[in-house]
Amino acid sequence: MNHILKFNLNGEAVEVAVKSNEKLLDVLRDKLGAVSAKFGCGVAECGACTVLIDDLSVRSCITFAVEVEGKSVVTLEGLQADGPTKIQKAFIKHNAFQCGFCAPGFIMSATELISKNPSPNEEEMRHALAGNLCRCTGYQNIVDAMNEVAEDNKGGVK
Amino acid sequence: MDNFRYIKPSTVDEAISSKREYGKKANFLLGGTDLFIAMDKGVITPEVVIDLKGIKTLKYLEEKDGAIFIGAAVTWTELIESEIIKKMVPALWEAADLVASVGVRNTATLVGNLCNAVPSLESGAPLYVRDAVVFLEGKDGKREVSVKDFFTGVKRTVLKDDELMTGLKIPVVKEFGEVYIKMGRYEGEDLAQAGVSVFVDKNNNYKISLSAVAVTPVRATKAEDFLKGKKLTDELAAEAAELALEAIAPISDIRSSKEYRIHMCRIMVKRGLIASVSRMETGVPALSTRLI
Amino acid sequence: MKENLKVVGHDAVRLDIVEKVLGAAEYTDDIAFGPNLLHMAILGSPYAHAEILSIDTSEAKKLPGVKAVITGEDYPEKFGLYLKDKSIFPVDRVRQVGEQVAGVVATSYEIARNATKLIKVEYKELPVILDPYDSIAEGAILIHPDLGNYVIEPWLEAQPGTNIGHLRRIRKGDIDKGFAEAETIVEGEYHIPHVAHTCIETHISVSKFSLDGRLTMWNSTQSPHTQRNIMAVALGMNHKDVRVIAPPIGGGFGGKAGISMEVMAAAGAKSCPGHPVKLRWTREEEFYNSSQRTGLRNKVKIGFKKNGKIIAFKHEMFWDVGASAEYGSNVVNATGFSATGPYYIPNVYIDSKACYTNNPTCSAYRGFGYSEFSFGIESTMDKAAKIMGIDAVELRRINAIKEGEGVAYDVPMNPNGLIECIDKVAEEIGWGIEEKSDDPNKIIAKGFASVWKAPAMPANESSSAFIKFSEDGSINVMVSGMELGQGLLTVMGKIAAEVLGLTLDKVRVELPDTDRNPYEWQTVASHVTWSCGNAVKRAAIDARDKILDIVQRAHFIDKSQLYLEDNGVKCTTQDSFYIPFSDFVITGIQTEHNTWVGGPILGSGMFMPEYTNAMVDPKTGLGGHPMVHYTVGAGAVKVEIDKETGRMKVLKMAEAFDLGKAINPDLSKDQINGGFVQGLGTAMWEQCIFDEKGKMLNDGFTDYKIPTIVDVPRDMNPILVEVPQPDGPYGARGHSEHTMIPVMPAIANAVANGLSVRIVDVPVTAEKIAMRMNDPKYKEEM
């Protein structure tokens, strides 16, 4: 079955022809050029394909493209439309990644977390990011960067 | 995977009539986390996928008439973020918080978890100890089934071809303590190798359920009867844990040996009992504390 | 003279972090190849060992959209890095589950994959060997009956007529006399299973034969030049006509060293000239068809004098290299030379055997065999310490090898800070201080290990570099060392910046492209900081010499008075003299006669160790100089274990390595943290599990558990020690792989120290701890 899929991608209305069985990850990457979301496992276990759908982090590798009809999808490309976010700046400062392949997924998950809980404590933060696998870093610099964001947001509340 | 017909009904009736039309060729889609992977691997090859996410009436989570009602479209994340669940069904909250990862919990649903009916499901044990009731709806009308009667085997349930689970209800209780403990290989995402829920009320009624250690979740009724009316001591907890093992029939697989599952169930029931009583007495549910 | 370093030795933000955090890094699969792109899928063998009787591809070829079907009939030749025992597509038999039997190129991946299902293959099953002990047993079926006919490096010792792909022996001193003189002899037998690299980016190659016959490959690779060489030789092409481009890579860890699936992509592309052909492994294929880490069964026997000094050491290693030893044979070789650990031992007996099995092929994996053998040595050392009543850390100090003492192959040890590493780790972890858990169900224990590792390389491995200046005085550094995440770009950039007096923002280091960047052997062996770094330093010196020469000629100042600083040239005798590079590195300097001196500045540099010699006596392993140097270090963990459940949490880690000189200390510490956690995975959870037919039962993250952010210690303590390497750039030597090595034994030693249970087979799971805790078979006296 073929569809003309309409949704909002990174703030812009898009229209794209898809079949029912096409995966959101493939449509984003191959048809819409949003290649920041990565293929890592194909079964929602590594988090490399994470995108935001209506502000919630979702595994685009196990989402049918047709499921996002009328919804708003944000990938890393859209997140930084106004320049690097606070989270991205902290990740840069702390050398948070090594090979970098998991970075877009981590940033999307971290973005969702901070939007819901601006100053998570370290264990809350680790719990929220536990679905994103990184093989390089041992996670320490990711934690350091996120702790800095959380600390900074605390200051913002005062 | 092959192409399929995708339909997104806006009412339960439409969904049921589509299911009746296509029968076994059609599958319902909710969060889709299980369905998608099964289709991608070619395990199931539906010609029609009926996406239930367009049915607004399936999205409810409320307390009324002495029960908590949870609609089929409610995701794990919505359960975790619900104060009702956190306060009134803390064991389910704990289970929800241990399902997969945030990115999955944002779309996957409790009802989908029940309908998928794999032995390792997180939701079984916490619902068993609360005697939850599920709502099924099909061409012949609606029926309510106790969650304990819902599962018939591995990936098998009483659901008929044209039926869908529209939601469930959990009776409200007062002055109780309950826990869910999951055995995984590590703290990161893992499928449960065993799950234990324990419930206790102020009259010393105990309910114990174990999952992933038999083809369906089970209640350890012998242990429950043994404890009934008794004030828990460490010794009683240990004895009850031993009795609880009579209810299970775990297997050995690559995740754990049968012997270690039994060993762990003994510990989990014992610690679960002690923690439930402690939670009831202190009134402070120790949510998310890892008891193993 | 102490160098006053401006860039080297100081922390900096990685040169590649911005592009990675902004999603600007274009990994191979992110590159747009246009509508001409074709996709490839592979048919894998369902059997671990079987003869191929026939392959019928006719139905697959008929499927609309299919462009080509390739089998071993098209490519009967064998290939491999050190031992050419691997088939592009096998002709006669398959030797592991998943081995590619045929490939299909089609207009979409879906069509290609569907077409593979239409290929009919008739097999005749053969007996399956899954354990190295079975591999070397009398009467075992030969997995490679043609071993004697394979092309092989001259320093490898294949044993035709057996399943042993390579045998490395060390016979130093008199082993029998040594044990006769020993007052305490301690033995142990250990097992390490296969584990997988699990880079988050799976292997991918996009290959294209242009219509005029050039081959271009975009590969996720650690080895662009090695791949070019193998492709050019295999295809009978000129090297200049094969181009390998290495876009950013999503993890390597040795798994993308050498060549594996890329040959299949090239084979697919050859059938479809003018089309780029993409082959990308699924996660399952990544487990089966890239490579895994060697499994090991080993027996360690150590003889001690009363004072704790090791007098004799016997180590028999039976490596499970899987179906091919093309690369794994070098793991066996390198460990054969080094499997004493970082100790001085007068009498050494080592047998290191590459045993073919029908498990997935093994090759390089971070640590290159040292993790596997160190588990047995360091476990045995701890046992021995208890038996002799010597503190476990002290026992390691007593035996720590010093500069000038002979290693196993009797070449003097390089300068090193092993004792300093041991002491710093012991202090950080609180060695000797007893700690109690707040939870009565739990105990707290500590475990220690010290380790070493040398780069494993052919004797004549080499690196080279170009540096070119641009108008604004910025530079592009062209190397073919690969950024794997370890920080190569930053390290190379800093070395160039240091020599050239540049600030780091003026430096860009390019990823490899064999057409543009000069030769590098491979990015493996933790050797590029040292080897490629030397080449970059020499290239920078070459460019500096040209700059000084121009300024001398234009300004009549003697070179000896000129130096480079602040992105320009300064003079030691005239404080006010300063010419920014942007004034002249392209345009030259205008003379008083309005003529010009100079030209575009560029530098080139090359490096090869000229003292190495792999041609040892095969009977003794002596007489050569097979390794360039060892990097030493130590690691320790503090764990909390639940006495009932066996569940263990690592609370704290400390690791110290002597890296000679930290070019960028922060990044070096990152390597320790990352390597520790990768080691933690192999120590506690990771293992490839096979059924009796060789099928892998956990070929996905559902059941192959790698550490997540909640499973790692909250207290990580990386420590850097700097005893300079005489021939390293600024004294540096590599240390990225080493960081994994102490973890498995440190964990097992902590468990033994806390609960008196000795786990001799990793991973050290909660189940093993709980179920063996009260089993006398595993009891280790305190």
Side-chain angles (χ1 to χ4, degrees), chain C residues 75 97 308 347 425 653 656:
Chain C
Y75 294 94
V97 173
N347 304 296
V425 167
M653 71 73 112

Side-chain angles (χ1 to χ4, degrees), chain A residues 30-152:
Chain A
D30 300 339
K31 293 188 170 170
L32 297 168
V35 295
S36 65
K38 307 289 190 236
F39 168 84
C41 71
V43 289
E45 284 167 339
C46 77
C49 68
T50 306
V51 301
L52 299 181
I53 300 180
D54 290 347
D55 299 326
L56 295 177
S57 69
V58 170
R59 304 301 164 92
S60 64
C61 76
I62 60 155
T63 304
F64 293 114
V66 289
E67 291 183 79
V68 302
E69 173 73 37
K71 293 182 183 291
S72 161
V73 177
V74 176
T75 66
L76 188 56
E77 288 90 344
L79 199 66
Q80 57 198 18
D82 302 322
T85 64
K86 186 190 275 190
I87 293 169
Q88 286 175 302
K89 285 178 188 162
F91 280 162
I92 288 169
K93 180 179 159 192
H94 287 272
N95 286 323
F97 301 102
Q98 290 182 19
C99 85
F101 199 75
C102 68
F106 259 103
I107 294 167
M108 300 318 284
S109 295
T111 300
E112 179 195 28
L113 168 68
I114 294 298
S115 73
K116 286 188 170 185
N117 180 2
S119 303
N121 67 36
E122 185 176 318
E123 290 308 312
E124 289 170 336
M125 180 262 290
R126 286 183 189 261
H127 185 62
L129 298 180
N132 289 80
L133 297 179
C134 166
R135 191 57 151 169
C136 297
T137 62
Y139 304 102
Q140 186 60 47
N141 292 0
I142 294 170
V143 171
D144 291 345
M146 289 299 289
N147 278 339
E148 184 175 300
V149 171
E151 202 53 42
D152 188 69

Side-chain angles (χ1 to χ4, degrees), chain A residues 19 21 23 25-26 29-30 35-43 45-46 48 76-77 80 83-84 87-89 91-104 106-107 122-123 125-143, chain C residues 12-14 16-18 20-23 25 27 29-30 110 196-202 249-251 253 278 280-284 365-366 483-486 664 666-667 670-671 673-675 677-678 681-682 686 700-702 704 706-710 712-714 716:
Chain A
K19 291 184 290 178
N21 61 345
K23 303 168 186 179
L25 175 64
D26 294 342
R29 290 179 55 83
D30 300 339
V35 295
S36 65
K38 307 289 190 236
F39 168 84
C41 71
V43 289
E45 284 167 339
C46 77
L76 188 56
E77 288 90 344
Q80 57 198 18
I87 293 169
Q88 286 175 302
K89 285 178 188 162
F91 280 162
I92 288 169
K93 180 179 159 192
H94 287 272
N95 286 323
F97 301 102
Q98 290 182 19
C99 85
F101 199 75
C102 68
F106 259 103
I107 294 167
E122 185 176 318
E123 290 308 312
M125 180 262 290
R126 286 183 189 261
H127 185 62
L129 298 180
N132 289 80
L133 297 179
C134 166
R135 191 57 151 169
C136 297
T137 62
Y139 304 102
Q140 186 60 47
N141 292 0
I142 294 170
V143 171
Chain C
V13 168
R14 310 172 56 101
D16 55 348
I17 193 69
V18 172
K20 286 174 176 173
V21 168
L22 299 189
Y27 300 82
D29 201 27
D30 300 340
E110 209 69 34
H197 308 79
T198 70
C199 304
I200 306 300
E201 178 200 40
T202 59
I249 175 176
F253 313 112
K278 181 185 287 188
R280 182 184 80 179
W281 279 163
T282 62
R283 183 51 62 185
E284 294 78 16
Y365 185 117
R366 191 178 200 167
E483 173 63 61
L484 309 175
Q486 83 282 48
N664 199 93
D666 262 2
L667 298 194
D670 293 349
Q671 284 307 296
N673 288 338
V677 168
Q678 198 171 3
T682 62
E686 293 179 39
F701 292 126
T702 310
Y704 189 93
I706 72 170
T708 76
I709 198 168
V710 291
V712 300
R714 305 300 189 258
M716 311 264 279

Side-chain angles (χ1 to χ4, degrees), chain B residues 223-268:
Chain B
E224 293 176 1
D225 294 344
F226 166 76
L227 288 171
K228 191 171 173 58
K230 294 178 186 155
K231 188 165 168 50
L232 193 77
T233 62
D234 287 1
E235 291 69 33
L236 285 176
E239 274 186 74
E242 215 55 52
L243 288 173
L245 300 181
E246 292 181 23
I248 62 172
I251 56 161
S252 285
D253 61 17
I254 57 169
R255 291 170 198 152
S256 170
S257 70
K258 171 184 167 181
E259 291 73 22
Y260 188 54
R261 281 191 165 98
I262 292 171
H263 176 81
M264 288 299 287
C265 283
R266 184 186 290 121
I267 297 166
M268 289 155 74

Side-chain angles (χ1 to χ4, degrees), chain C residues 181-234:
Chain C
E181 289 172 8
E183 277 132 337
T184 305
I185 295 174
V186 183
E187 296 182 68
E189 187 168 354
Y190 303 92
H191 179 236
I192 312 288
H194 280 220
V195 296
H197 308 79
T198 70
C199 304
I200 306 300
E201 178 200 40
T202 59
H203 275 67
I204 180 168
S205 172
V206 179
S207 297
K208 178 183 171 181
F209 273 89
S210 61
L211 294 172
D212 64 343
R214 276 214 74 182
L215 169 62
T216 304
M217 305 178 82
W218 293 261
N219 295 344
S220 177
T221 180
Q222 302 175 226
S223 308
H225 278 89
T226 292
Q227 294 191 333
R228 183 184 67 161
N229 186 41
I230 289 174
M231 291 313 306
V233 171

